Amino acid sequence: MEGGGGGVKHILLAKFKDSVSEDEVQELIKEYANLVNLIEPMKAFHWGKDVSIENLHNGFTHVFESTFENTDGIGQYIIHPAHLEFSSNLFLPSLEKLIVVDYKPTPLVHL
């Protein structure tokens, strides 16, 4: 794997629209998590809600992290029919705002 064994991380920060209920959010998260079973290059999925006490989240409430072996895997994921169906028809219409960042984790270098 690239990046010191951690693969490539696909991070999505999201703020759901106020009109989206907590039950709807939970259903969307379940469907997002299920993509790891449908899209081979997607190796892992984790998510969580902001718990920071610094109040620097700029309104973003949820973090979604997917792991891929390499950037080619992210490219395959982005155009996969299951991802396109989920993101275009369900997930993106439920969001007020989002940020997506892909990165390769760098191992800690001891000085």
Side-chain angles (χ1 to χ4, degrees):
M1 286 194 176
E2 297 176 14
V8 178
K9 305 293 184 176
H10 177 77
I11 307 296
L12 188 150
L13 303 176
K15 180 185 186 317
F16 289 92
K17 293 178 180 175
D18 291 339
S19 60
V20 178
S21 72
E22 186 59 34
D23 287 343
E24 291 169 318
V25 169
Q26 292 306 312
E27 187 58 36
L28 288 166
I29 292 169
K30 286 180 190 175
E31 293 200 34
Y32 197 162
N34 189 50
L35 292 178
V36 77
N37 299 314
L38 303 173
I39 304 173
E40 191 279 325
M42 190 176 181
K43 302 302 181 189
F45 175 81
H46 298 93
W47 74 277
K49 289 180 81 172
D50 175 60
V51 295
S52 175
I53 60 172
E54 294 179 290
N55 199 29
L56 297 174
H57 53 75
N58 290 318
F60 292 97
T61 56
H62 291 73
V63 177
F64 301 95
E65 176 190 83
S66 302
T67 303
F68 298 84
E69 288 184 10
N70 51 47
T71 54
D72 289 343
I74 294 174
Q76 293 171 38
Y77 163 80
I78 289 170
I79 63 170
H80 192 282
H83 173 258
L84 292 171
E85 173 75 19
F86 171 71
S87 65
S88 297
N89 296 332
L90 298 173
F91 196 68
L92 294 177
S94 300
L95 299 181
E96 182 175 315
K97 60 182 180 175
L98 77 151
I99 293 175
V100 175
V101 176
D102 299 329
Y103 76 99
K104 296 176 187 180
T106 302
L108 179 62
V109 177
H110 297 282
L111 301 176

